Amino acid sequence: MSVPSSSVLGDGQAWLADYRRRIEELRGRAELAQAEIAALTGTAASPDGAVRATVDSTGALSGLAFGPAADGLDRGALADLVVATTASAAAEVSRRATVALGPLLEHR
């Protein structure tokens, strides 16, 4: 059995160092994306301005406001509008989270 030449060992060490550097870079990008996503909020308003909903990064409702147009709606219609507007705000958070993940995914 022959002993590997120092050139082969050097190449292996350089490869390992580069691999470790790339893993560390990926970890840093992942941490950045995670922090950015955790801080996301999304706000949407109904077309008539009756409802304005804000959600956090998990899609949980964190703010709700009613405009003057809400006064003319019955409770069922208002409830439906709250649900739809909240879903729109959650979709915005989801879209922005996908954008935040972009740099992480493009360097696979």
Side-chain angles (χ1 to χ4, degrees), residues 10-80:
D11 289 348
Q13 289 172 340
W15 178 88
L16 185 56
D18 183 57
Y19 180 75
R20 286 180 176 154
R21 180 195 56 75
R22 288 184 288 138
I23 291 296
E24 187 61 26
E25 182 183 308
L26 182 60
R27 183 190 62 76
R29 284 198 315 266
E31 286 176 356
L32 234 110
Q34 183 180 17
E36 186 176 338
I37 290 169
L40 287 176
T41 62
T43 300
S46 61
D48 61 0
V51 175
R52 183 176 176 85
T54 301
V55 299
D56 65 18
S57 63
T58 67
L61 185 64
S62 61
L64 183 63
F66 298 108
D71 295 340
L73 298 173
D74 67 47
R75 288 181 181 173
L78 184 57
D80 289 345

